Amino acid sequence: MTRISPTIVDNLSSSDISHSVIRHDWTIWEVEALFQKPFNDLIFQAQLAHREHFDPNQVQVSTLLSIKTGACPEDCKYCPQSGHYNTGLKKEKLMEVQKVLEEAQSAKASGATRFCMGAAWKNPPAKDLPYIVDMIKGVKALGLESCMTLGMLSGEQATELAEAGLDYYNHNLDTSPEFYGSIITTRTYSDRLNTLSHVREAGMNVCSGGIVGLGETERDRGGMLVQLANMPKHPESVPINMLVKVAGTPLENVEAVDGIDFVRTIAVAKIMMPASNVRLSAGREKMSDELQALAFLAGANSIFMGDKLLTTANPEVNRDRQLFEKLGINEGHDWGEAPQQGECPLKAMYDAEKHNDQYFDAMAGQS
């Protein structure tokens, strides 16, 4: 990656990249400059941005349940649920509605305010949508926020889920457009952006982020964040995952991401999307208390609580509670929503993406 001169980094003062302004016009060179700031300066700027929109000592808690496990037709190289790889994962059919609601009730009793349900599908089959709708209605009846990740959605499916009362839909971009094809070939970047468009048009909140540690460059991390931050409206929730390496997947031996680099990604995400909840997501099970504390300081203010995230390990609830107690963190409810300050100047980087109104060309005008 081309390094940016110290002069450019120094010139990106608070007047140039204000922590108080919601922007939709980020360029890749600005984001690279953020990544290259001295660590203490970066964390300080992120914390200032965070405090303008959130209680700095409050973390929103969600629980995630796999409602249909394994045999996914996608070839995501990081995923143990892909049917393309032999990871020893036991395949399971769609859970019964009552069983899902029992899990939701248990999550609420443990302190979760949002219940998230994930199914390993390319897109939800029509025959299963009535059961999905019943799950959403049942979770809402318990007084919980609802979230689902079911793969790609058509506009009609998004509308049906919204009418059932679904609050959030998760569909991660995973990485930059440039690196995406090295990780996934069975669906395009535009497919993902189209689903997010359908979710937004249906009136649901968007949950979309990515994964750090896939073998991507710092520039790729910045490119992913540019895509998210330059959407017409920022995602309300931005999960930042640290890759959990799973035996049998093509990425099982990829070099582990440095913890400080991971925290930098959290901080840059918060500066670019200050009114969004940045979720410290997968990978926490192997993070030290100190690393998680740095992530919270950098602006992470949401986690998944529970012993498992779909099929991978997560810290035990007691460990999380002990960490919260040490840090003086309260479990809170997310009532916030990122303000909308107008639309970004949307352009196309590749012919295949040029008609997608969620795609932003961060390199436009760059030499």
Side-chain angles (χ1 to χ4, degrees):
M1 184 186 79
T2 302
R3 305 304 293 180
I4 297 174
S5 72
T7 301
I8 293 178
V9 176
D10 292 341
N11 286 341
L12 288 173
S13 63
S14 59
S15 62
D16 298 308
I17 300 179
S18 173
H19 52 77
S20 62
V21 176
I22 304 296
R23 293 180 50 190
H24 304 267
D25 60 351
W26 290 90
T27 60
I28 193 66
W29 70 267
E30 288 179 294
V31 180
E32 288 184 304
L34 282 176
F35 270 103
Q36 293 174 35
K37 287 174 75 76
F39 185 75
N40 288 344
D41 293 345
L42 179 65
I43 299 302
F44 181 68
Q45 185 174 343
Q47 180 64 198
L48 287 177
H50 183 54
R51 285 172 180 264
E52 290 195 12
H53 298 273
F54 297 97
D55 179 342
N57 297 309
Q58 184 167 293
V59 170
Q60 185 272 330
V61 176
S62 300
T63 295
L64 176 62
L65 174 70
S66 178
I67 59 174
K68 185 270 177 187
T69 303
C72 181
E74 306 286 10
D75 68 352
C76 309
K77 291 185 178 179
Y78 54 80
C79 187
Q81 300 204 64
S82 172
H84 294 257
Y85 316 122
N86 182 16
T87 62
L89 183 70
K90 182 181 177 181
K91 303 172 187 176
E92 298 178 1
K93 296 180 179 180
L94 183 66
M95 290 179 64
E96 296 179 359
V97 174
Q98 186 56 41
K99 177 62 175 175
V100 171
L101 298 184
E102 290 171 3
E103 294 285 347
Q105 181 63 63
S106 177
K108 181 180 180 180
S110 296
T113 59
R114 187 181 306 159
F115 191 68
C116 305
M117 295 157 275
W121 284 323
K122 186 179 184 70
N123 52 277
K127 66 181 180 63
D128 289 320
L129 268 179
Y131 303 108
I132 296 297
V133 167
D134 287 345
M135 291 176 192
I136 295 168
K137 291 179 177 179
V139 168
K140 296 289 289 181
L142 292 174
L144 288 165
E145 289 183 320
S146 57
C147 178
M148 283 197 160
T149 178
L150 311 170
M152 295 186 295
L153 294 181
S154 66
E156 293 78 11
Q157 288 174 324
T159 297
E160 186 171 356
L161 297 180
E163 290 176 348
L166 187 63
D167 296 298
Y168 286 79
Y169 193 81
N170 166 260
H171 201 61
N172 290 335
L173 295 184
D174 287 346
T175 188
S176 70
E178 295 80 5
F179 190 63
Y180 181 84
S182 300
I183 303 300
I184 303 155
T185 66
T186 50
R187 74 172 75 163
T188 68
Y189 212 76
S190 193
D191 287 335
R192 290 182 182 266
L193 293 172
N194 285 335
T195 288
L196 294 178
S197 294
H198 296 324
V199 169
R200 193 57 94 188
E201 290 165 3
M204 291 182 284
N205 293 309
V206 169
C207 175
S208 186
I211 306 171
V212 178
L214 299 171
E216 77 286 349
T217 65
E218 185 179 275
R219 188 182 185 89
D220 288 317
R221 294 167 197 163
M224 174 191 71
L225 295 178
V226 164
Q227 289 298 312
L228 294 168
N230 287 345
M231 289 179 176
K233 186 177 183 181
H234 291 169
E236 283 76 12
S237 182
V238 181
I240 303 294
N241 299 272
M242 179 183 283
L243 176 68
V244 177
K245 293 184 282 188
V246 178
T249 64
L251 297 183
E252 64 175 303
N253 296 314
V254 70
E255 183 178 356
V257 66
D258 177 78
I260 296 298
D261 289 341
F262 178 80
V263 174
R264 282 185 180 276
T265 307
I266 295 279
V268 174
K270 174 54 64 172
I271 292 167
M272 295 173 70
M273 296 169 280
S276 299
N277 284 274
V278 177
R279 176 174 295 130
L280 184 58
S281 200
R284 285 199 310 116
E285 193 265 339
K286 292 190 176 180
M287 293 182 193
S288 67
D289 286 354
E290 292 80 6
L291 182 56
Q292 292 188 71
L294 276 178
F296 293 135
L297 188 63
N301 66 325
S302 179
I303 65 166
F304 283 120
M305 186 174 282
D307 297 344
K308 183 177 287 189
L309 290 184
L310 296 180
T311 61
T312 58
N314 200 47
E316 295 182 355
V317 172
N318 286 341
R319 178 188 163 191
D320 282 334
R321 292 261 160 77
Q322 290 169 4
L323 176 59
F324 281 6
E325 184 175 354
K326 284 194 289 185
L327 299 179
I329 286 177
N330 303 307
E331 297 174 28
H333 194 289
D334 163 30
W335 296 108
E337 182 173 303
Q340 189 167 5
Q341 301 268 337
E343 297 192 1
C344 63
L346 297 168
K347 300 171 184 172
M349 185 176 294
Y350 304 113
D351 290 341
E353 313 295 346
K354 68 172 61 175
H355 300 300
N356 193 307
D357 67 356
Q358 295 285 309
Y359 192 94
F360 183 82
D361 183 0
M363 294 300 294
Q366 305 293 318
S367 57

